[in-house]
Each structure stands twice: as C-alpha cells, then as structure tokens.
Amino acid sequence: MLQRFPIIVGPTGGGKSALAMALAERVGALAEIVSADSMQVFRGMDIGTAKPSAEERARVPHHLIDVEEPRESYNVERWLRVAEPIIDDIRARGGLPIVVGGTHLYAKALLEGMFDGPGADEGLRAELAALPRSERRAELERVDPHAATRIHPNDDRRTIRALEVFRLTGKAISQWQTEWDSGRARTDRLLVGLDWGHGQVNGRINARVKQMVRDGLVEEVRGLWTRGVLGPQAREAIGYKQLVAHLEGHCTLDEAIERVKIETRRFAKNQRTWLRRLRSTPASVWLAMPETSTDDAVERVLGACRGEKT
C-alpha cells in the first residue's frame, strides 16, 4: 500500500479528472476514485457537472456520484461523513483512493477537518425561525455576505445555522470555515494541485461550455426543469441556473450560454483563492500546466505517494 493517497485540486476545466483516470489506470484494479464535487452528487445533472462518462466509470470504480436527487440539498458535512469511511475502506482493502473534484472546501475538510461550530441553541433557533424569511435573509447579507452568496434565499436551515453561529460566536460562519491551520494536515493524504495561467483557463472554460452545449446541456436542463425536480441548490448550479432563466423567458438562449461562460470564469477565479490557501499544505505537489505531461504528472504523484521527494 502507498503511504499516502492523492487529493487532486485545480481550476474547473483544468484536467483534474483526466489525471485521476490516468493515475487509476497506472495503479490498476486497486485504484478507486472518490468525487469531491458538490454537484456531481445529484442524479440527472450529468453534462453540466462534467461527470465521468459511463465508460470511464465502468473502467474505474467511482464513489459519491449520483447519490442524491436534485430536489434535495447537500453540504460539506454530509460529504465528509460519507467520504471518510469510503476512503478508509479502500485503504483497508489495500487499495488507492484517488480524491478529485472542484469543490475545494471538500478538499480542505478532508485535509484538516472542519469547523464544527457551537452546539445547537434551540431557543435561538426558534427565535430565528419565527422571523420572516426576508428579515433573516437581510441579516445574513449584513453579517455574512460571503455565506449569503452560497446559501439560497429559500434555504432556511442553512440560513438559521449561519445566523446562529454568528450570534453565538460573534464571527461569521464563512470566516470560521476558511480559517486555516496547516499544522493539522493529515500525513496519509497528499494534496496535488494543478497550476494553470489565468488566460489559459479562461480559454479552456469557453471551449468546455461550447462542448457541453453540443453534448446536449440545454436538453438536459430542459428535462430536469420540465419535471420540476431541481431543488434550490441544484437550480443555483452554474449552467443550470442560467438555462432555467432562459426556459422561464428571462433571456435568450445565446444570452444564457454567454452567462454560463461568464459565471464559470468567475467560479474559476474563486477557485484560485482557495488554491492560494491550499498552497500552505505541507508536502503538497503542484504541477505546472500544461507543461507537465500526463506521464510525468502520474510519476510525480505516485512517487510522492510512496514518500519520495519530488
């Protein structure tokens, strides 16, 4: 068994999944991929979340894909509770879990754990629940604007929890969740980062969105929207939100597709902030892209997993 298993991070459209597949195929039957993507958990959201194909999933076992209906909600706490036992089981069987995905909060939680927060204050929760939704939302936007961008206005549970944490601690939950202590990093995990230049990623994003549209993204979103199965969280997913706006008559198809490109580039910018924070992770491996070939990347990652200096 290798000393450490890889957690692959990088910008959207940056080749994370391709590297994970190349690693898995080099290792062979003992390798299994664990998705760290907050939207690939939803069934039916395939093209817009860039899920691995059925053929890829047949070649290499994948976990935490298609585990939830899109009308439900999913979060980092839930993912971590399921991902940790899966990873431990793979390692107990002598295998290599390969964690890969663009939700960098998931990677951070796996590397260092996460902020549990104060225990529930039922009296405070009842007080917050009694407030009009608009009043709760206004308070959240005032005390924690970052959390407000991630929490849907109709997500009462997460809104109440964010306000509860702020009122009990005096600090925003988003601030708690992004405070880092790299000294807590687990020694059996190897962080692998893919480094892309800003302009290079934008070009890849534009090409990727065009390919998704050719592959049937509009039809996929129309089917989910027509059946009414998109919950608040799924409707906010990039690609789905913009195309639902088109289907509801708020913009043309061309405008919606252009908006998908813009929002994806904005998402990649946010990812770069996470990646800068993740660079403090001890003994991580960062690969300059696209200069690093797939073969070289695989060799460097496996060498580091064996404990060799890279």
Side-chain angles (χ1 to χ4, degrees), residues 55-72:
E55 187 269 337
E56 288 171 326
R57 293 164 69 178
R59 279 157 46 200
V60 178
H62 282 67
H63 300 272
L64 291 173
I65 293 176
D66 291 343
V67 296
E68 190 58 82
E69 295 299 329
R71 62 172 55 89
E72 304 298 333

Side-chain angles (χ1 to χ4, degrees), residues 32 36 38 60 94 111 120 124 163-164 172 174 189 211 259 263 289 304-305:
E32 301 181 29
S38 63
V60 178
L111 282 163
L124 177 56
L163 293 176
E164 177 187 37
S174 60
R189 291 150 164 76
Q211 186 61 51
R259 197 69 204 171
E263 291 302 321
M289 306 298 289
C305 287

Side-chain angles (χ1 to χ4, degrees), residues 238-292:
I238 297 174
Y240 298 84
K241 178 178 181 177
Q242 294 76 24
L243 289 172
V244 166
H246 160 66
L247 295 170
E248 293 179 343
H250 302 300
C251 61
T252 68
L253 179 58
D254 286 345
E255 288 170 340
I257 292 171
E258 186 60 29
R259 197 69 204 171
V260 174
K261 295 177 185 177
I262 292 169
E263 291 302 321
T264 306
R265 293 196 297 267
R266 183 173 296 165
F267 177 62
K269 181 179 179 180
N270 292 338
Q271 286 180 315
R272 287 195 293 274
T273 300
W274 275 103
L275 292 170
R276 284 195 295 271
R277 293 169 176 162
L278 285 165
R279 279 187 174 276
S280 64
T281 303
S284 54
V285 171
W286 293 85
L287 305 172
M289 306 298 289
E291 295 84 356
T292 306

Side-chain angles (χ1 to χ4, degrees), residues 89 91 119 135 145 194 200 219:
D89 176 66
R91 287 179 64 76
E135 190 173 330
L194 304 189
Q200 293 170 315
E219 292 73 22

